[in-house]
Amino acid sequence: MRKRNESVTVEHERAAAVPGPLDKGCSLRHSLRLPAAAAAEGMKRPLGRRYGLWFRLRKLIIWLLGMYIAIPFLVKLCPAIQAKLVFLNFVRVPYFIDLKRPQDQGLNHTCNYYLQPEEDVTIGVWHTVPAALWKNARGKDQLWFEEALGSSHPVILYLHGNAGTRGGDHRVELYKVLSSLGYHVVTFDYRGWGDSIGSPSERGMTYDALHVFDWIKARSGDNPVYIWGHSLGTGVATNLVRRLCERETPPDALILESPFTNIREEARSHPFSIYRYFPGFDWFFLDPITTSGIKFANDENVKYISCSLLILHAEDDPVVPFHLGKKLYNIAVTSRSFRDYKVQFVPFHTDLGYRHKYIYRSPELPRILR
């Protein structure tokens, strides 16, 4: 009897260990259900990544849009920001050059000076003598260079544009070209530029130019003195020459390279202005410039200038549009102040690729200046 019970028990345990039809179905469904869950989870991961990427992209777009809308209000509340953007005097290119050593830029016949137009203002000046005096200039001091201004060579006072310093690459190349043509070249950094001390302003820049002009005239005797302004420097140049004409000491000629009509039209026409179609552009961006005392009104100044005028402008200029230079010429040529003086406009075709600052490369420049 005991053996029989033991066998029944063993058989019962075996039967429990072997899965029946129901258990087989449950196991099969369970085994089928695991891959399906894994697949669903795998699909969720790419969807989650896409959703996260879209969320970050949308967040970035909203942030950029917010900044785009906020900047005009910031400029309106702080006009000094717009003044900084006009002058760009904080941009010093090329970097790491020693302005006290113009010879490092290949100007071996150049002397570095420091002049003081006003109290607490010091400006750095470079004087490059004509190439014909190159050998004599080697190793000479400032006194020799100052006396050399009285030699029988014309002098060009060069007024550079915004950003950079008197040691900018394209500016140095122009000095070399003008020196090779027999000119003294005197250039300087306005207060607040380069190693010059002071705060930039239109009035201050004009006064600096006037001080340097008078300094040249006191040493150059009867030699011709020409004013050459480039880009923003054309605004300084016309301010200066208008003042010189009013006091009846005009220069022998005025040369404007890549000029504009006035700073408001230049800002409105600037190809890099992403806000030109922004509602209230004038109120947000142009009025703060005027509030800061920045006008550079070339179109008004030429009506009071009485000396020969030469305008140079490249058709492919991306910074100061060509049509502004042409418009300024049309204003000047009809002005009564130029009735007895020559006014000339020289365009440079787009194919030449001179753009905003490479007119010095023109092989026609010597003939044009003559």
Side-chain angles (χ1 to χ4, degrees):
M1 188 73 181
R2 185 179 298 169
K3 290 181 180 178
R4 186 178 177 186
N5 289 338
E6 288 177 355
S7 63
V8 170
T9 304
V10 170
E11 287 177 359
H12 178 73
E13 288 175 353
R14 287 177 182 172
V18 178
L22 181 62
D23 293 333
K24 286 182 181 179
C26 289
S27 298
L28 183 62
R29 283 195 297 271
H30 182 68
S31 63
L32 290 175
R33 195 176 296 159
L34 284 175
E41 187 177 347
M43 289 178 64
K44 286 180 181 178
R45 286 176 185 172
L47 287 174
R49 289 197 194 100
R50 290 177 190 170
Y51 178 77
L53 181 63
W54 166 243
F55 177 77
R56 287 193 293 270
L57 183 61
R58 186 174 62 178
K59 189 176 180 180
L60 177 62
I61 292 172
I62 293 173
W63 184 83
L64 291 174
L65 185 61
M67 287 294 295
Y68 179 80
I69 296 173
I71 285 174
F73 291 94
L74 185 63
V75 170
K76 185 64 179 179
L77 292 173
C78 304
I81 295 175
Q82 191 70 323
K84 283 285 187 183
L85 294 176
V86 171
F87 296 138
L88 290 179
N89 60 302
F90 56 90
V91 178
R92 179 169 175 168
V93 180
Y95 295 97
F96 310 119
I97 69 169
D98 186 354
L99 293 172
K100 296 178 181 178
R101 294 178 52 82
Q103 59 269 29
D104 291 349
Q105 310 307 309
L107 296 171
N108 295 319
H109 51 319
T110 300
C111 186
N112 181 69
Y113 309 144
Y114 289 98
L115 303 179
Q116 192 170 12
E118 294 179 310
E119 189 177 357
D120 300 327
V121 175
T122 303
I123 56 175
V125 182
W126 280 0
H127 172 200
T128 303
V129 297
L133 302 178
W134 180 81
K135 290 183 179 179
N136 296 333
R138 296 181 66 180
K140 297 299 193 299
D141 59 8
Q142 179 175 336
L143 181 60
W144 183 91
F145 275 84
E146 290 187 29
E147 291 176 349
L149 284 169
S151 62
S152 58
H153 295 275
V155 184
I156 289 180
L157 171 57
Y158 179 78
L159 306 172
H160 67 67
N162 66 356
T165 68
R166 61 190 184 278
D169 293 339
H170 65 284
R171 294 162 187 164
V172 168
E173 293 305 316
L174 178 63
Y175 311 154
K176 293 177 181 178
V177 170
L178 297 176
S179 173
S180 69
L181 296 177
Y183 296 97
H184 289 275
V185 182
V186 178
T187 187
F188 67 95
D189 281 320
Y190 316 105
R191 60 186 71 186
W193 272 260
D195 57 353
S196 296
I197 299 171
S199 299
S201 67
E202 181 175 355
R203 186 208 68 83
M205 295 164 72
T206 303
Y207 191 81
D208 293 345
L210 179 62
H211 181 81
V212 176
F213 178 85
D214 289 339
W215 180 86
I216 293 170
K217 289 297 290 182
R219 291 157 178 79
S220 61
D222 295 329
N223 293 331
V225 179
Y226 309 117
I227 309 295
W228 184 313
H230 172 244
S231 192
L232 188 68
T234 63
V236 182
T238 61
N239 281 349
L240 169 63
V241 177
R242 176 177 176 176
R243 187 163 177 174
L244 293 175
C245 291
E246 288 173 347
R247 75 177 195 184
E248 299 183 353
T249 57
D252 292 273
L254 171 62
I255 302 164
L256 301 178
E257 179 188 358
S258 306
F260 48 85
T261 47
N262 58 68
I263 199 64
R264 289 179 71 97
E265 286 197 3
E266 160 59 9
R268 189 181 295 114
S269 304
H270 200 295
F272 300 154
S273 175
I274 61 174
Y275 286 100
R276 71 177 75 181
Y277 303 114
F278 192 88
F281 175 77
D282 286 21
W283 187 77
F284 279 111
F285 291 95
L286 302 187
D287 290 349
I289 296 177
T290 306
T291 302
S292 300
I294 304 172
K295 297 179 180 178
F296 292 115
N298 290 336
D299 49 355
E300 282 298 313
N301 288 337
V302 294
K303 297 175 183 177
Y304 300 92
I305 290 175
S306 51
C307 67
S308 296
L309 173 64
L310 170 64
I311 296 178
L312 310 172
H313 212 137
E315 292 178 355
D316 59 338
D317 191 329
V319 178
V320 180
F322 177 78
H323 70 87
L324 291 184
K326 187 67 174 179
K327 182 177 179 180
L328 181 63
Y329 166 74
N330 291 331
I331 294 171
V333 79
T334 57
S335 174
R336 291 183 178 180
S337 63
F338 285 105
R339 282 182 304 180
D340 301 325
Y341 299 94
K342 185 176 182 179
V343 179
Q344 187 177 2
F345 182 85
V346 180
F348 295 88
H349 197 271
T350 301
D351 294 343
L352 297 171
Y354 294 154
R355 298 171 67 79
H356 183 61
K357 55 187 182 182
Y358 301 114
I359 288 177
Y360 72 84
R361 295 176 178 174
S362 173
E364 295 296 313
L365 193 57
R367 179 189 59 80
I368 293 168
L369 294 180
R370 280 197 299 269

